[in-house]
Structures are given as structure tokens and as C-alpha cells.
């Protein structure tokens, strides 16, 4: 996924960015409401991790701005404010979950997975397509019952395709999900990951629609 992280504390921001990126997500890290607003208008994010106390205002201002223009992107608030009234205010403003600092990074990963599953309309962490099975919680893949090891980037591409089996996913959409702002994108990166997945999962698993994109065969 392409994730927007809005956090002004350097140590925590770096830790969250590295942890979330390590499992295959692209993370754009912004430190102010203004920076985050510009990023959110430029990129169709799949998730926002939002601090509340920012140098130029409250993260709730950004959240209300997103919801005010009809942006339904899932938002998880990350904050040191632990009063019930603060949680209620955040949820009423349109947040999907609330995590109080300090938090465990593995718990953050679990919250991200749970929120995105709800938005996809499928609370089941196990995705199946023919002989292919993906357990999102265990981050495991099996083909006809045999476990297959994937890299973080291979996992990210497969998960993106798996969420829309049979639907066309453009090369640009895959690149957006894999690379954050400023990352150098090799022209054939997506083709390389798709080729590796075919070798591991079967050549007929992913179909190339020339000039259009890729789709996971139902």
C-alpha cells in the first residue's frame, strides 16, 4: 500500500516509517498539516497514520479536511493523548482507529491490517484463489498446500492483485503502491516482480495486458 505518515517527532517517525516499509508498503512521511494536506491531494493513499499534535495545527484539521471533501481513506490516529474525550473526538471526526503512544510496532501492523481488511469489505485474513492461498496475518503464501517464500516487494504486488482478482491493475497503480516520494523507480521494476511471482506461483497466475497492466487470473 501507499501510506501517508504524519508525525513530527523524528525518532518515532523514523521507526514507524522503517517498520511499515519493511513489510512492503511505500511510506510518505510528512511532519506538518500543510505538508500532509499537499501530499493527500496529490496521491491516492490507501491509509493515513496521523499524529494530532503537529507544529502548525491539529491532525484533526487534516482529518476533517479529508472527510469534508469526501476522501474515505482509512485513518489511524497515533497520539499521546489518552483521554476518552480525545478518542471520542478523533473517532467522531472520521478516524477508523486510535493508537496511544507509546505503542508496539507489531501492534501497529496488526491495526493497519485490520483497518484495511474492513475497508476492503472482507474481515477474513485468508484470501483464496484456486490453489493459491494468502494468509495476511501470518504473511504466508501457499500454492496447492506448499509454502512459498516471498520478498516484501513480491508480497506487496501479490496482495494488491489478490484484492481485485480478475480486475486489471495498471503498472502505474502498482508503482504508486510500492514507492514513496523521492524513491528511484527503475523502469522495469514491476515487470521484474511480476516475473518472480510467476516463477514461484505458476506462469498462468498473473496475466499481462500489454499497455494496460496486470491481472490475477480467477
Amino acid at each position: 500500500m501507499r501510506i501517508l505518515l504524519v508525525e513530527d517527532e523524528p525518532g518515532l517517525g523514523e521507526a514507524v516509517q522503517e517498520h511499515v516499509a519493511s513489510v512492503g508498503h511505500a511510506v510518505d512521511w510528512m511532519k506538518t498539516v500543510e505538508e500532509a494536506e499537499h501530499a493527500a491531494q496529490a496521491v491516492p493513499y490507501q491509509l493515513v497514520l496521523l499524529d494530532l499534535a503537529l507544529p502548525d495545527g491539529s491532525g484533526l484539521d487534516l482529518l476533517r479536511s479529508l472527510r469534508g471533501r469526501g476522501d474515505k481513506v482509512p485513518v489511524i490516529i497515533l497520539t499521546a493523548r489518552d483521554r476518552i474525550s480525545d478518542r471520542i473526538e478523533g473517532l467522531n471526526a472520521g478516524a477508523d482507529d486510535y493508537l496511544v503512544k507509546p505503542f508496539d510496532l507489531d501492534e501497529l501492523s496488526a491495526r493497519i491490517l485490520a483497518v484495511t481488511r474492513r475497508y476492503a469489505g472482507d474481515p477474513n485474513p485468508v484470501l483464496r484463489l484456486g490453489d493459491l492461498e494468502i494468509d495476511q496475518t501470518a504473511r504466508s503464501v501457499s500454492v496447492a498446500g506448499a509454502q512459498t517464500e516471498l520478498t516484501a516487494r513480491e508480497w506487496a504486488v501479490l496482495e494488491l492483485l489478490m484484492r481485485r482478482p480478475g480486475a486489471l491493475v495498471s503498472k502505474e497503480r502498482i508503482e504508486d503502491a510500492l514507492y514513496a516520494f523521492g524513491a528511484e523507480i527503475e523502469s522495469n521494476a514491476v515487470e521484474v516482480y511480476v516475473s518472480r511471482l510467476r516463477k514461484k506461483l505458476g506462469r498462468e497466475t498473473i496475466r499481462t495486458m500489454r499497455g494496460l497492466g496486470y491481472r490475477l487470473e480467477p
Side-chain angles (χ1 to χ4, degrees), residues 1-212:
M1 293 186 295
R2 185 79 174 267
I3 294 176
L4 174 60
L5 169 63
V6 190
E7 170 62 60
D8 68 317
E9 202 284 305
L12 179 60
E14 183 177 359
V16 170
Q17 183 183 45
E18 290 182 355
H19 178 78
V20 176
S22 71
V23 294
H25 302 303
V27 183
D28 293 328
W29 177 16
M30 304 299 161
K31 301 176 179 64
T32 67
V33 173
E34 182 179 10
E35 290 176 353
E37 183 68 61
H38 288 318
Q41 292 183 25
V43 177
Y45 289 103
Q46 284 74 56
L47 183 79
V48 177
L49 300 175
L50 180 62
D51 185 21
L52 294 185
L54 297 166
D56 59 342
S58 171
L60 290 180
D61 295 333
L62 174 64
L63 177 55
R64 293 187 179 106
S65 176
L66 291 170
R67 298 302 185 238
R69 61 173 178 265
D71 193 331
K72 298 180 181 179
V73 61
V75 175
I76 299 177
I77 289 177
L78 310 177
T79 182
R81 301 177 186 175
D82 60 355
R83 295 181 304 176
I84 295 297
S85 59
D86 291 323
R87 299 189 191 194
I88 291 174
E89 184 179 18
L91 295 171
N92 285 343
D96 298 273
D97 204 349
Y98 200 107
L99 197 54
V100 177
K101 302 174 184 177
F103 52 80
D104 184 86
L105 291 172
D106 287 333
E107 180 181 1
L108 174 61
S109 294
R111 299 284 187 108
I112 290 173
L113 179 58
V115 167
T116 53
R117 283 206 313 264
R118 290 202 301 269
Y119 262 73
D122 184 6
N124 188 349
V126 179
L127 305 176
R128 295 183 178 88
L129 190 66
D131 289 338
L132 181 62
E133 180 177 294
I134 299 178
D135 188 326
Q136 299 172 82
T137 301
R139 297 187 66 80
S140 64
V141 179
S142 63
V143 181
Q147 292 293 314
T148 301
E149 294 295 326
L150 300 183
T151 67
R153 286 282 171 81
E154 291 167 357
W155 170 275
V157 173
L158 178 61
E159 187 177 33
L160 184 63
L161 294 171
M162 191 83 173
R163 289 187 177 279
R164 302 181 62 198
L168 185 68
V169 181
S170 70
K171 177 181 176 180
E172 292 75 18
R173 172 70 183 79
I174 297 174
E175 287 177 340
D176 283 344
L178 291 178
Y179 295 98
F181 283 131
E184 184 176 348
I185 304 174
E186 296 182 11
S187 60
N188 66 335
V190 173
E191 288 85 351
V192 169
Y193 293 129
V194 169
S195 176
R196 291 176 182 173
L197 285 171
R198 284 177 174 146
K199 289 179 181 178
K200 294 180 178 182
L201 307 180
R203 297 202 60 81
E204 304 304 318
T205 303
I206 302 173
R207 182 177 179 185
T208 300
M209 309 295 287
R210 292 201 175 276
L212 298 175

